[in-house]
Amino acid sequence: AAGLGGALGGQDGNVMVLLDSMVSREGPAWQRQLALECLSEWCAQERFEDKIRELYSAWSGVGQEDRNPLVSLSLSLERVVQRHVGPLLQASAPPAAVQQARAAAEAVEAHALRPRPRLLEAVSHAGHEPPPGMVTDVAGLYLAIDCVCRLACGVSRLCGVTPLADSDPLIMSSTPRCDEQVMLQNVEVTRSIIDRTWQYSLASLQAVMVTVSSPVLLSRVLGSYASFARACGALQLLGPRDKAIAPLCRSALPGTSSGGPVVLKPYNILISKVLLRLVFELGGVLGEAWLLVLEAMQRLDTALSERGLPPGSGPA
């Protein structure tokens, strides 16, 4: 799969079309997982942002706009994520589907932390189908999350945005921090990519953000989410930027147990930290989105006060 991943790009977009077809169609589950594994290795290449630009540009000519494999892939990955965890977000989902989705969401952290044999090697040794136990909902969900995170970060790097570290100072700036030379070099293609994929990328990351409780995976998902939101801010794409901020404002707020005190969970803290960093990073360009942020901060402060925490001792 490493060789196959290296072959993908502007010169061999047809291979990407094939893999995307394997991911999206209702075929054997092992074929879908195999395609996701190959895509994950493609996304893990060095200078992945260059591969994204080459692939997108190669399929952006006249008559090809509706067939761009990067756009199709973003949609296919969103459908995979929704297939695995979507029932947890649907009030009318059948109980069996909810139970299956919850099991996958709870087990994905353990899957991410243990060594994972490559499906391609197993298929090569076993014949046409893999050994029992290698193809699971958990493996498919993890691979889809990995691909979505890498794609979001790759697109962000195209406009000069790099992930924020916890050690980075919180400094309110008039414009998002990015490498202006890189951004200007790729501004047209990056704006076009985000304009055509942001709904799928944000929907995938948001679905994981509110269903997977693993701190390890959630930190990675939120980091990719924040990078994508910063790219939207740097390119002044107001619609995608605001659509990225709003779910963070909602998810940062703790829930309440029936008749009991406010329940502040670890993921509320993680999301609050990311939201605060984004506010400092995008503060100069947030515009009307400030209303969402200030309301969320006020409600979060009230919730923390109700728990007996003094002002200033909330999420840092």
Side-chain angles (χ1 to χ4, degrees):
L4 178 61
L8 295 176
Q11 292 76 20
D12 203 358
N14 288 327
V15 180
M16 176 67 81
V17 173
L18 174 62
L19 293 178
D20 177 53
S21 174
M22 292 171 63
V23 171
S24 60
R25 72 187 180 195
E26 292 297 330
W30 72 268
Q31 292 184 7
R32 182 164 51 251
Q33 185 171 317
L34 178 62
L36 284 169
E37 183 179 281
C38 293
L39 289 170
S40 177
E41 295 196 11
W42 175 65
C43 294
Q45 295 178 91
E46 291 185 6
R47 299 293 302 175
F48 175 51
E49 60 269 28
D50 294 338
K51 301 295 182 181
I52 292 177
R53 183 182 59 243
E54 292 168 7
L55 176 65
Y56 185 82
S57 299
W59 287 73
S60 296
V62 176
Q64 292 185 318
E65 291 84 355
D66 295 336
R67 300 190 300 132
N68 196 296
L70 188 64
V71 179
S72 179
L73 172 61
S74 299
L75 173 59
S76 296
L77 289 172
E78 193 231 333
R79 288 174 174 170
V80 172
V81 170
Q82 294 293 346
R83 180 187 297 118
H84 289 299
V85 300
L88 296 175
L89 306 174
Q90 302 166 4
S92 60
V98 173
Q99 184 177 3
Q100 184 177 7
R102 182 173 292 112
E106 292 175 351
V108 72
E109 177 179 20
H111 179 83
L113 296 177
R114 66 171 179 259
R116 297 177 299 279
R118 295 170 70 221
L119 184 56
L120 182 62
E121 294 178 356
V123 172
S124 300
H125 293 138
H128 294 294
E129 294 191 13
M134 284 201 68
V135 179
T136 64
D137 288 344
V138 177
L141 175 59
Y142 171 78
L143 287 168
I145 293 173
D146 181 67
C147 289
V148 171
C149 288
R150 291 184 185 276
L151 276 173
C153 288
V155 171
S156 303
R157 287 196 298 272
L158 263 183
C159 71
V161 168
T162 55
L164 291 173
D166 287 342
S167 58
D168 290 341
L170 289 175
I171 301 175
M172 187 75 74
S173 57
S174 58
T175 58
R177 283 176 288 178
C178 66
D179 187 320
E180 292 188 7
Q181 182 176 356
V182 174
M183 183 187 70
L184 293 175
Q185 181 182 353
N186 300 305
V187 61
E188 291 186 9
V189 67
T190 311
R191 286 180 66 93
S192 181
I193 291 174
I194 292 179
D195 187 56
R196 297 183 63 190
T197 64
W198 70 267
Q199 296 183 63
Y200 311 134
S201 296
L202 289 182
S204 300
L205 293 170
Q206 288 164 8
V208 175
M209 185 172 67
V210 299
T211 58
V212 174
S213 59
S214 160
V216 175
L217 279 179
L218 190 56
S219 294
R220 182 184 176 195
V221 168
L222 287 170
S224 302
Y225 192 95
S227 293
F228 197 84
R230 290 170 58 215
C232 295
L235 295 171
Q236 298 184 15
L237 295 170
L238 305 187
R241 180 206 64 194
D242 291 352
K243 292 293 185 181
I245 292 292
L248 288 177
C249 292
R250 292 193 297 269
S251 299
L253 301 174
T256 56
S257 57
S258 55
V262 170
V263 179
L264 189 65
K265 297 185 177 181
Y267 72 83
N268 295 125
I269 298 294
L270 287 173
I271 294 173
S272 296
K273 287 182 176 180
V274 171
L275 178 60
L276 285 172
R277 286 202 167 273
L278 274 178
V279 168
F280 274 86
E281 186 73 11
L282 301 177
V285 296
L286 275 182
E288 294 183 0
W290 267 112
L291 297 176
L292 296 173
V293 173
L294 292 176
E295 180 182 359
M297 291 297 101
Q298 182 178 17
R299 293 174 61 186
L300 183 60
D301 181 71
T302 300
L304 293 172
S305 299
E306 290 176 354
R307 288 173 56 87
L309 297 176
S313 64

